[in-house]
């Protein structure tokens, strides 16, 4: 899906991806997906590939987003990755990214269990 439903707002992922990539000195590629959220319906989550030699972390990318997007559009979570999974034609496989977030959430839950 390239449209997320966050607190009743329908968000196009391309706008959020464009805001991340607009930081041209740091970001090479970005992909945005939603993950289920009990409070908002879906939470905006981003995977970012930084440019070689870029010194950036998730907090800096979130700050950049806050300056360019509405509050409900700002990703709740950003992960910096080496590459985005893509088909042979270059289309990002967002279903694989959603699966990665599901595994991360499950691991976090297991780590919190007594």
């Amino acid at each position: 899906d390239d449209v997320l439903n966050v607190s009743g707002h329908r968000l196009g992922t391309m706008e959020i991806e464009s805001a991340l990539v607009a930081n041209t000195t740091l970001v090479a590629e970005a992909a945005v997906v939603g993950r289920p959220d009990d409070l908002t319906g879906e939470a905006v989550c981003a995977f970012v590939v930084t440019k070689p030699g870029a010194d950036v972390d998730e907090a800096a990318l979130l700050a950049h987003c806050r300056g360019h997007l509405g509050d409900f559009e700002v990703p709740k979570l950003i992960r910096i990755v080496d590459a985005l999974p893509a088909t042979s034609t270059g289309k990002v496989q967002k279903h694989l990214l959603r699966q990665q977030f599901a595994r991360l959430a499950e691991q976090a839950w297991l780590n919190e269990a007594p």
Side-chain angles (χ1 to χ4, degrees):
D1 257 348
D2 286 333
V3 177
L4 306 179
N5 186 349
V6 179
S7 297
H9 299 279
R10 297 196 42 83
L11 306 179
T13 59
M14 290 196 61
E15 181 180 348
I16 301 164
E17 292 164 353
S18 294
L20 284 160
V21 175
N23 198 341
T24 57
T25 59
L26 301 175
V27 177
E29 286 183 276
V32 172
V33 297
R35 68 176 172 89
D37 185 88
D38 292 337
L39 184 61
T40 62
E42 282 186 286
V44 178
C45 301
F47 285 88
V48 172
V49 178
T50 59
K51 290 196 173 180
D55 185 23
V56 65
D57 60 14
E58 289 90 350
L61 292 171
L62 284 171
H64 171 79
C65 287
R66 285 187 196 98
H68 292 85
L69 297 167
D71 290 342
F72 57 90
E73 296 171 304
V74 174
K76 299 297 179 212
L77 183 63
I78 295 179
R79 287 279 184 245
I80 296 175
V81 295
D82 293 331
L84 298 174
T87 65
S88 59
T89 61
K91 182 173 167 67
V92 175
Q93 295 178 310
K94 291 188 175 185
H95 69 283
L96 296 177
L97 297 175
R98 285 185 207 93
Q99 289 173 2
Q100 285 185 28
F101 271 125
R103 283 193 302 274
L104 289 170
E106 184 176 317
Q107 288 172 354
W109 180 81
L110 289 174
N111 289 338
E112 290 175 7

